[in-house]
Amino acid sequence: MTNIDLTGHWTGTIIYGKQYSRMAGKELYFDMELIQNDNEIAGTAVDIGGVGMSPDQAYILGSVKDIEINFIKQYTSSHFYSSKGDETKIDKSKKGPRIKYQGFYNPEDETIIGEWQINMTVFLLYILPIPFKNSGTWTMKRK
């Protein structure tokens, strides 16, 4: 069992997965502040560059077990990136969806590498709900 403490400032990158078609492989950069208390982590994240940036911060809540990290990231407002208009659209009247992150800590270079997933629902003709999942990979390093 490895004792790790993730408290501190991290910087990272998410990479959009194949479900994003034209955005697949593109990157979004973020900064994250974490506080770890026993096996629980909490903090905030802000997007600092790349594709699909939100101007609002996100909250982080999760756990650590050995070297495995799991957390939920949720932005304070809903946003989505329109590749057609090359812009991010914001809806401050509701929170963003919950994004699940899972990864593993490498103590040698103080990095975390993993996968993320977002479950969303779109409405066909504004009535018929169609659930779908988007995913990708992520990495972050202690600053």
Side-chain angles (χ1 to χ4, degrees):
M1 181 166 156
T2 303
N3 290 330
I4 60 174
D5 184 2
L6 302 178
T7 298
H9 182 80
W10 297 78
T11 187
T13 305
I14 73 161
I15 300 171
Y16 295 96
K18 63 182 178 185
Q19 301 92 343
Y20 282 91
S21 62
R22 286 183 283 205
M23 285 177 45
K26 296 196 184 235
E27 299 177 343
L28 173 68
Y29 310 105
F30 63 89
D31 280 342
M32 187 180 293
E33 291 290 335
L34 290 177
I35 296 173
Q36 182 175 337
N37 186 6
D38 293 325
N39 68 334
E40 295 178 358
I41 56 173
T44 57
V46 292
D47 297 342
I48 58 172
V51 175
M53 278 183 50
S54 171
D56 299 319
Q57 75 176 357
Y59 291 100
I60 307 298
L61 192 58
S63 63
V64 178
K65 183 177 180 184
D66 298 328
I67 62 169
E68 183 177 357
I69 294 92
N70 290 283
F71 63 87
I72 299 291
K73 175 180 172 184
Q74 186 171 31
Y75 288 94
T76 56
S77 65
S78 180
H79 73 284
F80 71 94
Y81 178 76
S82 170
S83 59
K84 290 180 183 173
D86 197 28
E87 64 181 328
T88 300
K89 302 199 181 214
I90 310 293
D91 181 354
K92 290 191 179 275
S93 70
K94 56 185 172 182
K95 290 182 181 179
R98 296 164 47 95
I99 308 166
K100 298 175 187 176
Y101 285 74
Q102 185 265 336
F104 293 92
Y105 176 72
N106 180 343
E108 291 179 16
D109 61 1
E110 293 198 274
T111 59
I112 302 171
I113 296 173
E115 296 180 351
W116 60 270
Q117 178 179 312
I118 184 170
N119 297 327
M120 298 182 70
T121 302
V122 294
F123 289 89
L124 183 62
L125 302 174
Y126 298 98
I127 8 173
L128 182 62
I130 301 172
F132 67 96
K133 294 179 184 180
N134 283 336
S135 62
T137 58
W138 66 284
T139 182
M140 69 182 190
K141 183 167 180 59
R142 192 184 301 267
K143 229 13 190 169

